[in-house]
Amino acid sequence: MLQISSKTQKRAVLVIFPKNNLNALPFFDLEEKRSIQQMLNDGSKIIPVNKLHKLYILFAMDVPKDIDKYELQEKFRIQGHSIYKVCKEYKETELSLEIMGEYDKSMLESLLLGINLSDYEFLKYRTKAKEYHLTVHVDPILLDKSSVEEINLLTESVHITKDLVNEPVSYLTAVQYSKDMAKIAKSAGFSLTVWDHKKIVQEKMGGLLAVNSGSSAPATFNILEYKPAKHKNKKPLVLVGKGVVYDTGGLSLKPTKSSMDMMKSDMAGSAAVVGAMYAIAKAKLPYHIVGLIPAVENRPGYEAVCPGDVITMYDGTTVEVMNTDAEGRLILADALHYAKRLKPELVLDFATLTGSAVRAIGREASVIMGTADKEYKKKLRKAAMSTGERTVEFPFWDEYGDYLRSDVADLKNLGPMDAGSITAGKFLEHFIDYPWMHFDIAGTAFVPAQYNYRGKWATGYGVRLLFKFVQNQCKDNPEKSKS
Ligand code: BES
Ligand code: ZN
Ligand code: ZN
């Protein structure tokens, strides 16, 4: 984490200097500067120099004018990760900061965020592993207190999301998930209402019940609400998250190995909603937000839904279930139907929904689509690009909707092999009557191996994007409403 402390000098010092001004480095003699220059010429940007009682980590800050600002910020976050790795390699737990010459504040923030986000490991079940953490001491002269606090808050929130996603289902059942949400809600200052199995049956949430029917553990439906006294939006922003605590595929069982191994992460969309609401509430952003999280387990138990069954959804639509592994859309549809009563300004759903999204663009961006107007799409894109949580919008023509026609029921839950992430989105569209965007985060939410500052396993995708979007909305929205 970052700590605000003035005039602290630790053994390890991150020295940031302008790339073309080595003279700014006071700690080195001429010969040393020559070697440093050579390394810079060879393309190194981060140069560790272990000198008697000091470890200098030299970082040449280069801010070319012709590069897109957001792309550059992403590069700085990645370089932050490289700096973190040097500290870890040298077992340094404290790092102080020296900046020589001029620097760009937003690039410094990106660098520090990259360092901070890297400081995560999921060690809960490693009985012998030793924790390592890095504290970076930042002089308030270099960066305002509020920036430092925001970086720490975002990091903490991303880590909350990562912890939830990394938890195996042996711990994180739907009921346990609701208990964890309650703790998080309490500490951040938003409310949580949990619908248990009995209430879900009473309400006739047919999608949720169908998906959970093969599991011996009960499902929950979670309603999170953050409504500060003064908020800038007249109608709430609703965030919906897929909360499949484990996806075996159900009776349409996934093959073991590769395709099932990581399916504890099938609740990553909902965990992003939890992490984002934590950050937004802690930062006291003046925005009214409701989170909706259907939490279920998709298993092939005795009572499991069979391929060919017809189910009746929360809104009364009948669905022919052709493949029980296309379960995410069934639970999201019920949550999207619930959202209608909130008369939202905008609904965003986050879901590890399709392998098709991963095959199309891999882990580098999420696939998005929806009915929100151009203005919202522009704002969402800005939040995505500025945080490095990239998105690519897919086409959403009406024709794709025809792929889901069923002769037996109103809809089927499975389209043809082609355009799988789009037909999944089209299924969801059937259940909305408000501006909406769908984020398929199957490729971005969980990675099997280290992926720069995002780490390995859960990446916490979505938390920073949502925080940034809401923060920008608060800045852009002049009118205030009270209720
Ligand atoms: N949870 C999976 C999607 C997924 C795949 C997430 C890979 C993360 C990584 C989803 O429930 C699923 O099984 N989707 C099927 C849908 C198909 C049966 C139409 C898929 O994408 O293969
Ligand atoms: Zn599935
Ligand atoms: Zn799934």
Side-chain angles (χ1 to χ4, degrees), residues 458-474:
T459 62
Y461 180 98
V463 174
R464 290 181 299 114
L465 184 161
L466 282 169
F467 182 85
K468 197 34 104 188
F469 174 71
V470 171
Q471 194 181 44
N472 290 341
Q473 285 294 93
C474 293

Side-chain angles (χ1 to χ4, degrees), residues 78 117 144 233 357:
I78 293 171
L117 286 172
D144 330 323
N233 49 337

Side-chain angles (χ1 to χ4, degrees), residues 345-477:
E345 60 156 345
L346 175 69
V347 175
L348 306 174
D349 82 72
F350 282 71
T352 47
L353 206 61
T354 65
S356 169
V358 193
R359 285 190 292 278
I361 56 170
R363 65 182 190 179
E364 310 306 334
S366 297
V367 166
I368 65 165
M369 61 201 82
T371 61
D373 66 22
K374 270 198 187 127
E375 207 44 43
Y376 275 132
K377 283 185 182 175
K378 208 168 117 192
K379 288 173 172 177
L380 287 167
R381 185 167 174 79
K382 183 176 167 196
M385 298 319 273
S386 66
T387 53
E389 297 192 331
R390 300 187 193 109
T391 53
V392 173
E393 189 181 354
F394 271 26
F396 210 44
W397 297 302
D398 292 346
E399 285 77 359
Y400 290 115
D402 301 340
Y403 297 14
L404 296 170
R405 283 219 184 108
S406 160
D407 293 334
V408 175
D410 300 335
L411 273 181
K412 56 183 177 181
N413 77 330
L414 185 71
M417 289 280 281
D418 303 334
S421 55
I422 303 177
T423 51
K426 278 289 164 191
F427 183 90
L428 300 179
E429 191 188 20
H430 184 88
F431 300 87
I432 59 150
D433 69 356
Y434 37 68
W436 156 80
M437 286 306 277
H438 159 59
F439 290 67
D440 192 331
I441 62 169
T444 48
F446 196 89
V447 290
Q450 188 73 33
Y451 177 28
N452 59 48
Y453 64 87
R454 293 171 174 84
K456 68 172 172 183
W457 309 335
T459 62
Y461 180 98
V463 174
R464 290 181 299 114
L465 184 161
L466 282 169
F467 182 85
K468 197 34 104 188
F469 174 71
V470 171
Q471 194 181 44
N472 290 341
Q473 285 294 93
C474 293
K475 281 182 201 152
D476 292 352
N477 254 323

